[in-house]
Amino acid sequence: MKKTLLTATLVFSLLAPASNAATAGTFYLDAKIGCYAADKSPTKSHKWSTTNYKTLYATSCKSPHHYEVYSITKLKAKNLSSDAAQKEASTACSKAARSKINGADVPATLTFAYFFPDPGAEQKKYGTKMICFFRVADAKSDQYSLSISKPIVTVNYI
């Protein structure tokens, strides 16, 4: 007996721009739920670093992308440089991630990460805003985010 699977995307393909090309840059703290390329070459893997993350390029989740924003929230911690803020961020994104991937097919190297404002002008403007996102790490080097051309998280309904 052949089973038919209906695959529905769990995340964001309707909320992302319709075009296949990455759009003009978006400041990372202005990101919305949806898919983003880390650079203007979204078909290539992107090396993760602490200096090249502040401009993201909104794109369709069905087009090459590196990140999928799945949660935007506020932290309770006021000192974003503290260990307490890091722990709160990790816990909040982990909880939201588990909710999104419950029962989903996900790549083996799926990870989540988060952004929140740097102290100073960013924190003054954005407060304690936090952006949680999925990325698929390269199995050979987790410093690289793979380019994915479909939603990272999908749910199969039988």
Side-chain angles (χ1 to χ4, degrees):
M1 179 176 145
K2 182 178 176 183
K3 290 185 179 181
T4 303
L5 293 180
L6 171 64
T7 302
T9 60
L10 177 65
V11 284
F12 334 118
S13 59
L14 296 176
L15 298 175
S19 126
N20 288 343
T23 63
T26 299
F27 186 64
Y28 76 122
L29 293 170
D30 290 326
K32 308 280 188 244
I33 300 294
C35 294
Y36 292 86
D39 53 41
K40 291 185 178 183
S41 300
T43 59
K44 297 179 183 176
S45 295
H46 181 77
K47 184 171 184 179
W48 182 259
S49 82
T50 58
T51 59
N52 65 351
Y53 64 91
K54 292 197 177 192
T55 301
L56 303 174
Y57 300 90
T59 189
S60 166
C61 291
K62 294 179 181 178
S63 296
H65 61 281
H66 301 103
Y67 309 130
E68 289 185 22
V69 174
Y70 64 89
S71 178
I72 300 171
T73 190
K74 297 267 185 185
L75 293 172
K76 292 177 185 167
K78 299 297 181 210
N79 179 358
L80 299 183
S81 299
S82 69
D83 288 341
Q86 294 290 329
K87 183 176 180 181
E88 181 186 349
S90 180
T91 299
C93 288
S94 180
K95 183 178 177 181
R98 280 193 306 273
S99 174
K100 295 289 183 198
I101 63 175
N102 187 22
D105 292 328
V106 296
T109 58
L110 178 73
T111 64
F112 73 86
Y114 49 85
F115 298 128
F116 51 75
D118 290 334
E122 284 184 15
Q123 188 172 359
K124 190 173 207 166
K125 181 175 180 179
Y126 293 94
T128 59
K129 182 178 187 177
M130 180 177 65
I131 311 281
C132 302
F133 61 93
F134 290 121
R135 72 182 193 89
V136 177
D138 186 322
K140 295 176 187 170
S141 172
D142 67 357
Q143 292 181 348
Y144 287 86
S145 296
L146 296 180
S147 174
I148 304 297
S149 294
K150 63 181 183 175
I152 292 174
V153 178
T154 59
V155 176
N156 290 324
Y157 298 95
I158 297 177

